[in-house]
Amino acid sequence: MELDKSPFYRRIITPWYDSDVACWILILWSISVLIFTLIGLEIAISTPELNQYIWFPFVLTSLVLIIIISAILRMILRNVKG
């Protein structure tokens, strides 16, 4: 049996959690967390008693940057593919 060849091109429907609006909300939320972690990193560096806890804001900063980069790459790749 032959497949029907439709003359219409169907657009790929992205799920709501992968839409541009959801990615922008995720990026904006992540930037606010990034600002919080950078402030915590600055305080941990400047206070000698807190130098042993510098790893926590550093790890949180790294994780937030990974989230931001992955959301931006996801939006770029989705818009390039069409």
Side-chain angles (χ1 to χ4, degrees):
M1 180 179 271
E2 190 175 319
L3 295 174
D4 292 334
K5 300 214 182 207
S6 176
F8 299 105
Y9 292 103
R10 297 201 175 159
R11 202 173 132 221
I12 298 173
I13 299 173
T14 57
W16 66 270
Y17 53 84
D18 199 24
S19 66
D20 285 340
V21 175
C23 285
W24 280 113
I25 290 171
L26 178 67
I27 290 170
L28 292 176
W29 175 80
S30 298
I31 288 173
S32 66
V33 174
L34 180 67
I35 292 169
F36 176 74
T37 59
L38 290 176
I39 292 170
L41 197 58
E42 180 182 344
I43 291 172
I45 290 172
S46 65
T47 309
E49 297 86 29
L50 298 177
N51 280 341
Q52 62 184 348
Y53 302 112
I54 200 167
W55 64 270
F56 185 73
F58 181 73
V59 169
L60 194 57
T61 302
S62 303
L63 293 174
V64 167
L65 287 174
I66 290 170
I67 290 172
I68 292 172
I69 291 169
S70 68
I72 290 172
L73 286 176
R74 191 178 327 150
M75 286 191 336
I76 290 172
L77 291 175
R78 185 176 54 242
N79 290 328
V80 166
K81 287 183 182 178

